Every structure is written in structure tokens, then in C-alpha cells.
Amino acid sequence: MNFDKTKVIERIKQAKSYGLKYSKLASAVNVPCASLYAFINGNYTMAQDKQIALLCYIESYMEEMNRQLKKLGYKELCSKWKV
């Protein structure tokens, strides 16, 4: 199984829009920050197991953020996010 690098990068950027910091993502999956930035910029090829770890962490983070935003969404406190 191979991942489409552009889609992985797109998902990373989407998580950033949810507030995830690249440094936190890098440390969570034990990747140097510089390697993560190089991967996002297209200058580095990341191992598949690291990409899987990145995507799993991102999915968990975004699910948690969506859960929290749903709590706020009905109170009309949150205008930026569509829940």
C-alpha cells in the first residue's frame, strides 16, 4: 500500500487549519521537525510507517476537535467552523 504524498500533505495542512502545530505533530510521531517541514515542502520522502503514524494522529486530533466544536456550535459561539 502506498499513500499519495500530495493527499497526505493536504491532510496535514487541513489539520493545521484545525490548530494542530507542526512541532506537536512531529514530536507525537517521533519525527524531526525539519523532516516534517521538508516532507510538506516536497523535499523529503517519508517512510510509509511514519506517514501512517502521522495520519492516525491527525485523524484522532481532528475527531477530538470536531467533538469539542460540536459542543460549542449549537451555542453559536463558533462562526469559523462548520460542524
Side-chain angles (χ1 to χ4, degrees):
M1 164 187 358
N2 289 326
F3 292 107
D4 182 0
K5 183 177 180 177
T6 57
K7 290 188 180 196
V8 174
I9 293 169
E10 182 179 302
R11 197 68 174 157
I12 292 169
K13 289 180 179 181
Q14 185 179 15
K16 174 120 173 114
S17 74
Y18 274 66
L20 180 62
K21 303 220 180 309
Y22 290 154
S23 59
K24 184 175 180 179
L25 177 60
S27 65
V29 295
N30 201 23
V31 173
C33 229
S35 296
L36 182 61
Y37 282 112
F39 178 73
I40 292 167
N41 291 327
N43 302 328
Y44 178 73
T45 303
M46 190 174 291
Q48 184 175 345
D49 62 328
K50 294 295 183 181
Q51 289 184 45
I52 291 170
L54 283 170
L55 291 170
C56 287
Y57 186 83
I58 287 168
E59 292 305 315
S60 296
Y61 180 85
M62 290 175 62
E63 285 173 7
E64 178 62 22
M65 289 301 295
N66 281 328
R67 187 185 65 75
Q68 292 176 12
L69 290 170
K70 282 182 183 178
K71 284 183 180 179
L72 300 176
Y74 77 93
K75 295 179 181 178
E76 298 178 8
L77 297 171
C78 195
S79 61
K80 180 180 177 185
W81 305 98
K82 291 184 180 181
V83 183

